[in-house]
Amino acid sequence: MIGNELDAADIHDPRVRAAYRRCRRINAAHGRTFFLATRLLAPDQRPPVHALYGFARHADDILDTLDPGLGMNVRAQRLQELFDRFFAGAALTDHPVLVAARHTARRYHINAELFEDFLASMRMDLTVTDYPNRDALNGYMRGSAEAIGLQVLPILGTVVPVAEAAPYAAALGRAFQLTNFIRDVDEDLTRNRVYLPADELAGDGVDRDLLMWCHRNRCTDNRVRNALAAQHAITRNTYRFAADGIAMLAPRSRPCVATALTLYSEILDRIEDDDFEVFSHRAAVGQARRLRVAGAGLIQAWLARNSAPVAYDPAEPGAA
């Protein structure tokens, strides 16, 4: 099947095809919900989306899943090497993830600043462990989540000028990451990180010491529960805003994005159903539910791809 996708994407060089295959395997292994949603994209759209996921995952692995004995200086050096190799346009014998990501960036004219912003946020994770307020957290997410939403937008296509759809694509990336921050607060504490605004937590009497108490005792203090509920409401509103942008996408891309939004936002449902007991287990959407939502999306995607949709063309007379 991957061969058919690469053919549809007009990717024929054997070395480049091997690079995209590597990214697809990474996506399938590490991003179950995301990978399931990509199956609703048209075949030619899947390889570049896998490439962008592979690039992001590769950077994340440098931060968190390499030998834990490696010091911050070594990790910082490896992130800088990743940055240098990506922007230097090294030969095709380079790391396969970089080969596929560079190929995608060139083909879809993805702004290089989005990759710079992403790697800048990754470097922040080496030294920044807390965010004093919402502005500081949003600054981090501009590179880590919003940049990815904007990278994917040219692949999805739009029926409006890209600049009009961009705020919604950025918001969806932000909503996904805010969901992770709430769900994974316990796991993040093991890496000495708190991705929740300290001043907003303090409004409910919560600080890092109380979060660590919850972490050690595997339970959620009522003050923490109230603080998480407030973060939950902010994230819900972010999803509502992002949902308004789905109609701006090319019709063939809408079922995929709508499915991803539905499944990821339902993680919030599970967290709420569990009464915010995020320190004792990790909230997840069940396999049966994922398959039902994806199945409905698959039908919608097939119908959209067979109705000759037209994406926005900036060269068309009268286009903004």
Side-chain angles (χ1 to χ4, degrees), residues 25-231:
R25 288 196 295 270
I26 292 171
N27 195 171
H30 298 286
R32 291 185 305 168
T33 297
F34 185 82
F35 183 76
L36 182 63
T38 65
R39 308 311 302 152
L40 307 184
L41 290 171
D44 64 289
Q45 294 175 301
R46 296 170 197 163
V49 170
H50 295 323
L52 295 178
Y53 180 93
F55 180 83
R57 181 72 194 192
H58 185 55
D60 190 62
D61 284 347
I62 291 174
L63 284 173
D64 291 330
T65 60
L66 290 172
D67 182 352
L70 292 178
M72 290 298 180
N73 289 339
V74 173
R75 292 172 189 264
Q77 179 182 350
R78 293 193 179 183
L79 274 178
Q80 186 61 47
E81 290 172 355
L82 175 65
F83 179 91
D84 293 341
R85 290 163 69 193
F86 181 82
F87 289 103
L92 290 177
T93 53
D94 203 345
H95 194 291
V97 167
L98 299 185
V99 172
R102 279 199 305 267
H103 185 271
T104 291
R106 288 195 301 268
R107 171 170 285 194
Y108 290 92
H109 308 289
I110 300 172
N111 192 328
E113 290 183 1
L114 295 175
F115 293 93
E116 294 174 355
D117 291 345
F118 174 76
L119 291 173
S121 285
M122 294 300 98
R123 284 193 289 268
M124 288 176 64
D125 274 331
L126 294 172
T127 57
V128 179
T129 59
D130 298 87
Y131 293 86
N133 50 48
R134 179 71 52 179
D135 285 346
L137 184 62
N138 284 342
Y140 171 77
M141 289 192 292
R142 270 193 290 276
S144 60
E146 295 183 15
I148 293 176
L150 295 173
Q151 288 171 12
V152 172
L153 191 56
I155 300 168
L156 299 178
T158 62
V159 294
V160 299
V162 171
E164 185 177 338
Y168 300 91
L172 186 57
R174 188 166 67 252
F176 289 163
Q177 190 163 47
L178 288 170
T179 302
N180 286 342
F181 291 161
I182 298 171
R183 180 191 62 186
D184 298 336
V185 60
D186 184 68
E187 179 181 338
D188 291 333
L189 283 167
T190 65
R191 299 187 176 103
N192 196 35
R193 300 176 192 154
V194 177
Y195 293 105
L196 301 171
D199 61 342
E200 296 176 18
L201 296 180
D204 286 295
V206 176
D207 57 14
R208 176 182 276 269
D209 288 342
L210 182 55
L211 292 174
M212 286 303 300
W213 183 91
C214 295
H215 172 68
R216 289 192 301 270
N217 290 278
R218 320 307 299 161
C219 66
T220 303
D221 180 276
N222 282 334
R223 291 165 291 179
V224 174
R225 182 174 287 107
N226 291 336
L228 292 178
Q231 298 300 312

